[in-house]
Amino acid sequence: MASISLIENPQMLMLNMVGIGIAWASILCMPYAILAGALPSRKMGFYMGVFNFFIVLPQILAAGILGFFTRWAFDGNTMMALVLGGCAMVAAGLFVVFVQDDDEPNRVADKTGKRMKAKAAIA
């Protein structure tokens, strides 16, 4: 998203939009997939609903104040708001490294319930 400010050829923006579309698809589904592995199945609907509030409320807040913020911080230069969004996407991608997914497909439980790597379970 931040590279939009560097592109001068309008046709090259199509490549950017493909990348943003892939990132957006991941943004929409991966948080729920990560969360689903850590929730008890009986209360999953409740926790998913609460989690959805933490996604929707910041979006509503951003929609309400981003125009004012752009005028104040960037003198109305909306391109800088896109650059800020791109930087936020990079930061979010880096923070995902620290997320521990409890529902990893490459791990299986042994007879005692302990988790171990799939290769060790097969051997």
Side-chain angles (χ1 to χ4, degrees):
M1 189 179 286
S3 66
I4 289 174
S5 64
L6 304 174
I7 295 176
E8 295 178 10
N9 185 353
Q11 282 77 23
M12 289 300 293
L13 285 175
M14 290 300 286
L15 183 63
N16 249 12
M17 291 300 117
V18 167
I20 290 172
I22 291 169
W24 189 252
S26 175
I27 289 167
L28 290 178
C29 70
M30 287 309 296
Y32 293 100
I34 292 169
L35 184 64
L39 294 177
S41 59
R42 289 184 31 198
K43 299 233 179 198
M44 188 171 298
F46 172 76
Y47 286 118
M48 286 290 189
V50 171
F51 181 69
N52 196 42
F53 281 122
F54 288 97
I55 292 175
V56 173
L57 293 177
Q59 289 175 340
I60 293 170
L61 180 68
I65 66 169
L66 191 57
F68 299 111
F69 180 78
T70 302
R71 275 184 251 133
W72 172 76
F74 303 128
D75 291 328
N77 185 356
T78 55
M79 184 61 68
M80 292 306 295
L82 290 174
V83 171
L84 178 64
C87 293
M89 287 176 72
V90 170
L94 293 173
F95 284 128
V96 169
V97 173
F98 301 107
V99 174
Q100 184 176 359
D101 190 3
D102 290 335
D103 191 32
E104 294 180 22
N106 65 342
R107 295 190 179 257
V108 294
D110 67 2
K111 293 177 185 174
T112 63
K114 292 182 181 178
R115 298 194 96 161
M116 59 184 170
K117 293 205 182 249
K119 288 182 182 178
I122 293 171

